[in-house]
Each structure stands twice: as structure tokens, then as C-alpha cells.
Amino acid sequence: MPAQIIDGAAIAEQIRQEVAQQAIAFAERAGMPPGLRVVLVGDNPASVSYVRGKTRAAEEVSMNSDTIRLPTITPEEDVLEIIQSLNADRNVHGILVQLPLPEHIDERHILNAVSADKDVDGLHPLNVGKLMRGEPYLLPCTPSGVVEMLLRSGQAPEGKHVVVCGRSNLVGKPLAAMLLLRGHGGNATVTVCHTGTKDLPYFTHQADILVAAMGRANSITADMVKAGSVVIDVGINRVDDVSRKSGYRLVGDVDYDAVAEVAGAITPVPGGVGPMTIAMLLQNTVKAAEVQLGSKD
Ligand code: BQF
């Protein structure tokens, strides 16, 4: 029996509709819409396309959204100054600095500079620390999208063994921390695998829910997957495809066709975790806006 396909695009659409209502309600109370600013340094084509998708999605849920585009050679101090002015801007509730940054800019300096209350990417050390302490506030968008997708597709993680492949600060580490939280959406037994793991297939075979977040195409093959398990593919890889106008297509980290024959449920790429990431960014922005409004009156 082929796997159930978990439709991230459809779930994300549902979340965007919920956020749109919250954004309208916020605007009525606050006298202004929730405001999102995306800072993009440089012209990495993938980043340009992600940023466009984010600002467009924010506009579609009637937020006030804008991208600040800076040349690759922008000095770190100039980026920090722009972040400080956005921190002080009362019309701006969410700030996101698109990653990766050019080599000459220290990512940590930039992430530390974004006000923790406006940190809609959930990467400020204060928000990372809160999550680790079990006091989640603004959470990184991709891992929270994974949890939300599990919940809304009837695959709640509680009591399950979730094996996360990948230990990045953006996905693997925060996802493991979220799955360990007490309560709904958490309470999982979590194993994190990485490049230092010996016998990866041994661990992936133990997974009720397997998350592929290693950032390389075809990293999870059918022989690594337990029959009937849930496979979540976080990977976004461009592979050459001459039959496409763009010259490439997107694939995940999972050997999709073969794994779909073994798994009980699987997320596609595109249309899986990617759209959920954007939906969670919008959700974080309304949440940040509501908290900032609440702390003013
Ligand atoms: C889809 C990202 C790696 C490094 C930096 C929808 C996105 C992608 C795919 C998207 C990603 C990946 C983003 C789909 C944002 C997800 O339909 O499958 C949306 O825009 N993403 C990013 O901002 O930075 C990245 C991946």
C-alpha cells in the first residue's frame, strides 16, 4: 500500500486563513496591521526567491510587509544599524534577516541584534534559551512547521519515537527541543542523528516518525525506513533538470518514490514542509504583534 501524502501546501493554506483573521482583528484593535520586515543582504538567487515568497505571503494576509535589500558588500555595522532602526519602529512587529549572510558578516552578531520580541525566526539566544528551558515563545519556523504538520495530519508525536536526522541550529536542534516539550505536540521520545552517527540505518529503522533534515538529496533511502512509519522531508535541494524552464527542480533529502512504497505517510517536496515554514512565519508575526500591543496598554 503506498503512503498517505501529507499535503503541506493545503495545511499551510488553512493556517494562512487563520492568520489572516487574526491579522484583521489585530489591525482593528491596534489601528495598524501587523508589520514584517525582511532584511536581505546580497543576491543569492534562492534567498531572493524565498524572501519574495515571504513578503508576498505576508501581504496576502493583509500585513504591512517590506523587504530591505542591501548589496553583498554592506558592512556588518550598517546591517546592525538597520536592525536597530527596525527594533525602534513601532509599525514593525517582526524582523527577519534572511540566511545565509555573506562571509564577512558574523551571523551571531546579527541574530543577537534583533529584538527578542520581534524575532520571528526564533533564532535570538533568548528565544533559543526559553525553548530549551521548556518556556517556548517565538519558535523557529521550519521546526514548528514540522510539529504543526504532524498535529494537523493526525500524527501527533506524543509517545512516539521520533528520529531527527540533522543537528543544525535552524532545524534539527530546535525540533528535538520542541518534541521534548511537555504536552500536546511534544512528549515524544527523541533521537538525533548526525554526521558522527555510526550505523544510521540502525537508528532510522527504530523511528515511528523519521525527519530528514541533513541537507543532501537522497540521504534517506527505502532500505532505511521502517514499514508504515511517517517520513517528514525537510530538505530543499536544487538538482539540474534540463526539461524545466528554470534548468532545475526541487527535491528533498528523501528518495521519495522508493520511500513512499515503504512509509505509511510522507511529505512531498515541493509542497510539504516548505509552505509550512512560511505559514509559521506569518503566525509568529501576528503573535509578536499581539504581545507588543499587549505590553503597551
Ligand atoms: C515548497 C531555506 C535552506 C536554506 C535557507 C515553499 C519554501 C521552500 C519550498 C521557502 C528555506 C526553505 C527558506 C516550498 C524558506 C523553505 O513549496 O516546497 C517555500 O520559501 N522556504 C528560507 O528562507 O531559507 C532557507 C532552505
Side-chain angles (χ1 to χ4, degrees), residues 47 49-51 53-54 98-100 142 170 234 236 250 268-278:
S47 292
S49 127
Y50 294 147
V51 159
K54 290 172 189 184
Q98 182 66 34
L99 303 178
T142 299
L170 218 64
V234 179
I236 304 278
L250 293 183
V269 177
V273 175
M276 293 296 298
T277 298
I278 310 302

Side-chain angles (χ1 to χ4, degrees), residues 38-95:
V38 180
V39 178
L40 172 60
V41 189
D43 51 12
N44 177 301
S47 292
V48 170
S49 127
Y50 294 147
V51 159
R52 206 170 277 147
K54 290 172 189 184
T55 40
R56 194 189 307 132
E59 281 163 10
E60 278 170 13
V61 297
S62 40
M63 292 182 183
N64 165 359
S65 152
D66 203 7
T67 299
I68 294 134
R69 279 197 70 166
L70 303 168
T72 309
I73 55 159
T74 309
E76 182 178 294
E77 306 85 83
D78 292 13
V79 182
L80 291 173
E81 240 176 69
I82 286 165
I83 291 170
Q84 272 139 26
S85 74
L86 295 173
N87 284 343
D89 187 339
R90 293 179 162 283
N91 297 314
V92 174
H93 305 94
I95 303 167

Side-chain angles (χ1 to χ4, degrees), residues 192-209:
V192 182
C193 298
H194 46 76
T195 47
T197 298
K198 279 193 225 166
D199 200 359
L200 180 63
Y202 166 80
F203 290 98
T204 57
H205 265 290
Q206 314 299 316
D208 301 312
I209 299 171

